[in-house]
Amino acid sequence: MAYDIEKSNNEWHAELSPEEYRVLRCAADEAAFTGEYTDTKENGVYSCRACGADLFTSEEKFDSRCGWPAFYDPKDLGSVQVQRGGSSYPVVRCARCGSYLGELFEGEGFATPTDKRYCINSLSLRLKPADSE
């Protein structure tokens, strides 16, 4: 699949920490309850740590008690890509660079407008606080 931002593995290795590379480019999940943004309540926009694309906002973030940041919807419909098949749950990727973000769970009964849980790795995100925009 073609993305707006395409780089070689060597370029990604040079730009990302080993942990970021493992999550963003190798589709590995960080351990539950260890991520920087799991319990963050700060207002702002969560962007892709690899390319800087705006993905989610604090408005859509909710406490799902799953151990990872959870959002009920992306910032914009085209900001993330959901890939179904090949995994137990649909995989969520950045629509701009194809980096792995996490997985999508639906129909779990959360009291959110969409009943969706975008379960996203903190290492895939960077929070831009609202007061810095």
Side-chain angles (χ1 to χ4, degrees):
M1 174 162 284
Y3 294 97
D4 289 345
I5 296 176
E6 296 211 15
K7 298 180 182 182
S8 71
N9 283 334
N10 287 339
E11 290 173 304
W12 286 121
H13 266 295
E15 293 179 19
L16 302 170
S17 73
E19 297 83 15
E20 292 167 346
Y21 184 87
R22 185 179 60 80
V23 171
L24 290 158
R25 305 311 303 170
C26 299
D29 290 311
E30 63 195 359
F33 300 102
T34 63
E36 176 181 8
Y37 301 123
T38 302
D39 298 317
T40 301
K41 306 274 191 256
E42 191 171 358
N43 290 329
V45 175
Y46 291 86
S47 60
C48 176
R49 197 172 288 226
C51 74
D54 290 347
L55 304 172
F56 301 95
T57 73
S58 56
E59 302 271 324
E60 292 87 23
K61 189 173 189 281
F62 70 101
D63 184 6
S64 68
R65 296 183 176 90
C66 68
W68 292 272
F71 304 86
Y72 63 81
D73 228 359
K75 182 179 184 296
D76 298 305
L77 290 178
S79 63
V80 300
Q81 177 185 73
V82 176
Q83 297 176 333
R84 300 183 188 275
S87 170
S88 300
Y89 299 99
V91 169
V92 180
R93 295 191 176 277
C94 173
R96 187 169 168 210
C97 70
S99 289
Y100 174 77
L101 305 172
E103 295 175 320
L104 173 62
F105 301 87
E106 301 178 82
E108 296 179 309
F110 285 106
T112 61
T114 64
D115 197 20
K116 293 180 180 180
R117 177 170 56 99
Y118 289 82
C119 186
I120 307 298
N121 289 283
S122 288
L123 281 169
S124 297
L125 303 171
R126 190 170 316 279
L127 175 61
K128 296 186 281 186
D131 59 4
S132 69
E133 293 178 2

